[in-house]
Amino acid sequence: MKVLLIGSGGREHALAWKLAQSPLLETLYAAPGNPGIAGCATLVALDIEDHATVAAFCKENGVTFVVVGPEAPLVAGMADVLRTAGIDVFGPSAAAAQLEGSKGFTKDLCAKYDIPTGAYQRFTDAAAARAYVEREGSPIVIKADGLAAGKGVTVAMTLDEALAAVDDCFDGAFGAAGAEVVVEAFLDGEEASFFCLCDGVNALPLASAQDHKRVGDGDTGPNTGGMGAYSPAPVMTPDMVARTMKEIIEPTIRGMAADGHPFQGVLFAGLMITAKGPELIEYNVRFGDPECQVLMMRLESDLLPILHAAATGRLDTVSASWRDAPALTVVMASKGYPGAYEKNTPIRALPTDDAASKVFHAGTALKDGQLVATGGRVLNVTAVAATVAEAQKAAYQALDQVEWDNGFSRRDIGWRAVAREKA
């Protein structure tokens, strides 16, 4: 197969690395890719916002399968254009991608199909939202309805913080994404990320992970796109996985099909494991970043036929096998992230990849032959080992070999799981 991968981040590097191992693969293209992805794919300079140009490239180069990494092209309808052109694509239609593109859409779906989630209200008026927040009190969660690159959610522990978050949304801090705001109840428990492939009818559960959203050690500071992750998440016991499939994933798949937009792709369920069981925080319609990096390190099966089965309605013919060993990834970010940060700072050295550890590029570029950091989250230093504690140790040993003056990381990724192992 000739395959085109869309995207340029750490998630896409992990997908490219795994896809490149497939014996079914003839050629792997990536658009736009990054210097890490260039090691396992042919980079092509396509404008991925121009979906017709992407389809034309596929036709001209014999590409029969496209894997879309990030959410923005999916919400904008790339999968629809490619399917109309007769090209198989891993990723949902624009209508189905509303599960991530609109927080309110997902909450309404949960209400309609009795999927457990926090109580909520939708607002297009700042005064009404503020009045509701003042009536409900804190803690409370404020979300920009649309795509905000992982930054449109505030878990407000005080009333002042909640009201400021409402004002930020309506004052344009997140652009059009904040034109509507969802205010929802604070859920108390332990978070987990759960991934499941869907072909519109069938579901194939993948693995779980736990992300670390806050920028500082001990889960302090502002939320980010994710500062590290590990897989599996111990809180996702076999019983909790079974409940998640029955109570959350399966009614979602049935409901989306019944509403006329069947979901094909990967459902990434952000869960809160509460005293009542699993409750849905939000859906994403693509692999998590950095969760994808640890999933790909643990996946034993060939990724390509599994993704293609999801794209072509044949998920009931495939299965996925996983290494028992846990994987852990640490994000190296530019100093200042998630606020303002300096771009194009030089990365002078990286550790050598081996069977147990791998560096995925998330926000890098080559400038005059020099590797530089171009993003907020820049590198994903990833390791797999017999225990989470050993994977954590190996990841940080590799991370300490990175020579990049402007980089920083949390030093406690996996702390909950490490504590569980010691208990």
Side-chain angles (χ1 to χ4, degrees):
M1 293 175 69
K2 292 184 177 180
V3 178
L4 171 63
L5 173 67
I6 302 293
S8 63
R11 164 185 49 228
E12 287 77 37
H13 188 185
L15 291 172
W17 172 75
K18 192 66 183 173
L19 287 169
Q21 298 168 29
S22 175
L24 302 176
L25 184 73
E26 179 183 338
T27 308
L28 179 62
Y29 297 103
N34 66 37
I37 295 172
C40 43
T42 300
L43 303 192
V44 286
L46 284 175
D47 178 1
I48 62 171
E49 293 184 6
D50 186 341
H51 301 162
T53 296
V54 174
F57 172 85
C58 294
K59 292 290 190 183
E60 290 162 13
N61 292 276
V63 171
T64 56
F65 186 40
V66 177
V67 176
V68 185
E71 64 275 13
L74 294 167
V75 172
M78 177 181 277
D80 303 84
V81 172
L82 292 169
R83 287 194 182 101
T84 299
I87 299 159
D88 292 334
V89 55
F90 178 77
S93 66
Q98 290 179 92
L99 282 173
E100 179 165 2
S102 169
K103 306 288 194 305
F105 174 90
T106 297
K107 298 296 276 192
D108 288 352
L109 182 92
C110 289
K112 184 175 181 180
Y113 292 104
D114 200 25
I115 297 165
T117 190
Y120 74 104
Q121 291 285 335
R122 301 174 69 169
F123 297 95
T124 54
D125 175 75
R130 287 176 64 94
Y132 178 77
V133 166
E134 287 175 338
R135 196 161 62 246
E136 293 295 312
S138 60
I140 198 165
V141 181
I142 314 298
K143 295 181 177 179
D145 179 70
L147 295 182
K151 299 183 180 70
V153 176
T154 300
V155 181
M157 303 310 290
T158 68
L159 192 58
D160 286 346
E161 191 182 0
L163 295 172
V166 169
D167 291 342
D168 280 348
C169 288
F170 286 113
D171 289 346
F174 308 108
E180 181 172 335
V181 170
V182 176
V183 182
E184 60 185 68
F186 173 81
L187 295 176
D188 195 23
E190 186 168 344
E191 283 193 55
S193 302
F194 183 74
F195 297 86
C196 182
L197 297 186
C198 311
D199 66 4
V201 176
N202 303 294
L204 176 67
L206 297 179
S208 64
Q210 194 160 63
D211 189 11
H212 299 62
K213 282 294 185 192
R214 293 191 182 269
V215 74
D217 285 10
D219 293 330
T220 57
N223 270 342
T224 69
M227 294 300 293
Y230 60 89
S231 173
V235 71
M236 292 303 290
T237 61
D239 176 64
M240 203 59 70
V241 169
R243 285 191 61 182
T244 299
M245 290 298 295
K246 182 180 180 186
E247 298 171 25
I248 295 176
I249 301 293
E250 290 168 7
T252 297
I253 295 171
R254 288 195 302 269
M256 291 293 282
D259 289 351
H261 25 250
F263 186 90
Q264 287 178 279
V266 60
L267 268 181
F268 163 11
L271 304 175
M272 187 67 78
I273 309 305
T274 71
K276 293 188 289 185
E279 296 194 50
L280 184 71
I281 301 170
E282 63 182 11
Y283 271 131
N284 296 307
V285 300
R286 36 69 190 182
F287 283 104
D289 191 348
E291 293 98 333
C292 185
Q293 290 81 315
V294 288
L295 294 186
M296 293 305 106
M297 289 286 278
R298 290 188 58 227
L299 180 64
E300 287 185 324
S301 305
D302 186 345
L303 179 64
L304 182 50
I306 297 173
L307 298 188
H308 195 251
T312 54
R314 297 179 299 104
L315 259 186
D316 54 341
T317 68
V318 297
S319 60
S321 60
W322 302 86
R323 297 167 74 165
D324 290 333
L328 182 143
T329 190
V330 183
V331 171
M332 285 199 80
S334 295
K335 289 176 182 174
Y337 176 80
Y341 53 86
E342 187 180 351
K343 293 187 178 181
N344 299 316
T345 57
I347 301 170
R348 294 187 301 276
L350 294 175
T352 303
D353 292 340
D354 57 36
S357 66
K358 171 89 182 148
V359 177
F360 294 111
H361 291 234
T364 66
L366 282 174
K367 296 278 177 75
D368 301 321
Q370 169 72 59
L371 186 68
V372 297
T374 55
R377 294 185 299 160
V378 175
L379 299 169
N380 311 132
V381 187
T382 313
V384 61
T387 65
V388 178
E390 289 174 34
Q392 182 192 59
K393 181 180 178 182
Y396 281 110
Q397 283 178 339
L399 183 144
D400 289 338
Q401 297 174 49
V402 175
E403 294 180 22
W404 173 33
D405 294 341
N406 200 52
F408 81 97
S409 70
R410 281 182 56 165
R411 300 296 302 191
D412 65 344
I413 300 302
W415 63 273
R416 285 191 187 88
V418 170
R420 271 194 174 95
E421 287 177 349
K422 291 177 180 176

